[in-house]
Amino acid sequence: MDNLGKFVIAIDGPAASGKSTVAAEIADQLDALMFDTGAVYRVLTLVALARGVSPDDEDELAELIDKIDIAITTPSVDDGRQYDVYIDDADVTWAIRDPEVDRAVSPVSVHARVRAGLLELQRKIGNSGQVVMPGRDVGTVVMPDADLKIWLDASLNERARRRRAELLERGIDLSVEEIRESMRQRDQRDASRSEAPMEPSPDAVVIQTDGREIEDVVKQILQLASLIPAIAEEGSPSS
Ligand code: DC
């Protein structure tokens, strides 16, 4: 199989740094697939919670991966979603964003067997064509040969404010302090785990988003993306 026309843009960073919003916009502008890698960890967490499997039970969690059929596709409902997430035939697009999943997903994702079990699925989608992938370890582990790697960051206060606004829109009212503390713990766990810790790839472009408009950040990334051969060729008048 050749790589003609293919590209991967990795957009990593901590919780609520704006990765998904920015990635969705970039994917839209480039007519690429947006594949949110966090969704696969969230799906597993949701199923584990529903079946009473502890987030600390590595073996049970790893076995669960083989029993569930995860599908992530372009959005079919116009309710603010960036993509559809299905487990078997159930639409869990919003359920995987619930605060209980927020709390349990990081402990679930620390386990080596869980990460190994979900890696193949992520790589398969990542290699499928023109893909924008937000995550934590996309540039370092999942797609180390990505054409462009971005590390998106923002202060904890700013990220907690953004997450509160997102939750409020869905009718979930938590204090900014509560969100900040839960996010702080999650970041700490994500960054200190031994398997694929959350960290910028040495060749990533680091972008701080505090006080910046989404459109402005998107524009900066699109400029960088225009240097990717598959994108430059498509945009050139001779092609
Ligand atoms: O981006 P998110 O909030 O949906 O991610 C949820 C969790 O999934 C995050 O706390 C850690 C884990 N995750 C990961 O370990 N590696 C990824 N590439 C994406 C997410």
Side-chain angles (χ1 to χ4, degrees):
M1 196 158 98
D2 63 41
N3 283 327
L4 214 66
K6 285 188 174 185
F7 62 81
V8 176
I9 300 177
I11 304 186
D12 290 304
S17 55
K19 303 181 300 281
S20 307
T21 314
V22 165
E25 188 56 35
I26 305 264
D28 192 43
Q29 302 240 5
L30 296 176
D31 212 7
L33 173 75
M34 136 92 164
F35 169 43
D36 188 353
T37 56
V40 298
Y41 290 94
R42 288 175 176 274
V43 164
L44 178 62
T45 305
L46 183 70
V47 176
L49 291 174
R51 298 197 186 182
V53 174
S54 160
D56 300 325
D57 193 336
E58 178 166 8
D59 293 340
E60 281 273 337
L61 289 167
E63 278 164 33
L64 211 50
I65 294 174
D66 296 328
K67 294 185 196 146
I68 53 179
D69 188 15
I70 309 175
I72 301 178
T73 52
T74 46
S76 63
V77 184
D78 187 11
D79 62 356
R81 64 180 61 190
Q82 292 158 333
Y83 45 83
D84 282 354
V85 184
Y86 276 81
I87 303 175
D88 300 318
D89 286 329
D91 182 349
V92 294
T93 311
W94 290 115
I96 63 164
R97 304 262 148 222
D98 283 345
E100 304 86 76
V101 176
D102 269 353
R103 274 189 288 273
V105 65
S106 183
V108 164
S109 71
V110 298
H111 304 298
R113 284 191 64 196
V114 166
R115 304 199 70 83
L118 294 173
L119 191 56
E120 201 185 328
L121 171 68
Q122 295 176 76
R123 287 202 174 137
K124 195 170 146 209
I125 304 178
N127 282 316
S128 65
Q130 307 185 326
V131 193
V132 183
M133 292 172 75
R136 300 286 190 293
D137 62 343
V138 178
T140 49
V141 176
V142 183
M143 305 298 287
D145 295 328
D147 300 274
L148 174 62
K149 299 178 186 178
I150 303 290
W151 179 264
L152 220 55
D153 211 347
S155 65
L156 183 58
N157 279 343
E158 170 87 18
R159 292 187 288 118
R161 273 196 300 272
R162 287 181 194 167
R163 179 52 52 87
R164 176 166 151 74
E166 259 168 48
L167 289 171
L168 260 184
E169 260 183 40
R170 295 171 45 211
I172 302 169
D173 188 1
L174 296 179
S175 72
V176 81
E177 290 73 27
E178 204 173 337
I179 295 171
R180 190 169 47 219
E181 182 50 23
S182 149
M183 206 173 255
R184 195 189 58 73
Q185 288 178 13
R186 184 143 74 98
D187 287 348
Q188 201 174 27
R189 206 180 284 109
D190 289 347
S192 61
R193 68 183 176 222
S194 57
E195 288 293 319
M198 168 177 81
E199 62 185 356
S201 180
D203 52 350
V205 177
V206 177
I207 302 181
Q208 273 291 341
T209 64
D210 277 87
R212 287 185 67 183
E213 296 289 335
I214 292 281
E215 295 74 43
D216 188 33
V217 175
V218 167
K219 207 167 134 200
Q220 183 182 355
I221 298 175
L222 283 174
Q223 257 160 14
L224 294 165
S226 68
L227 303 173
I228 296 173
I231 297 175
E233 278 156 29
E234 208 155 274
S236 80
S238 59
S239 66

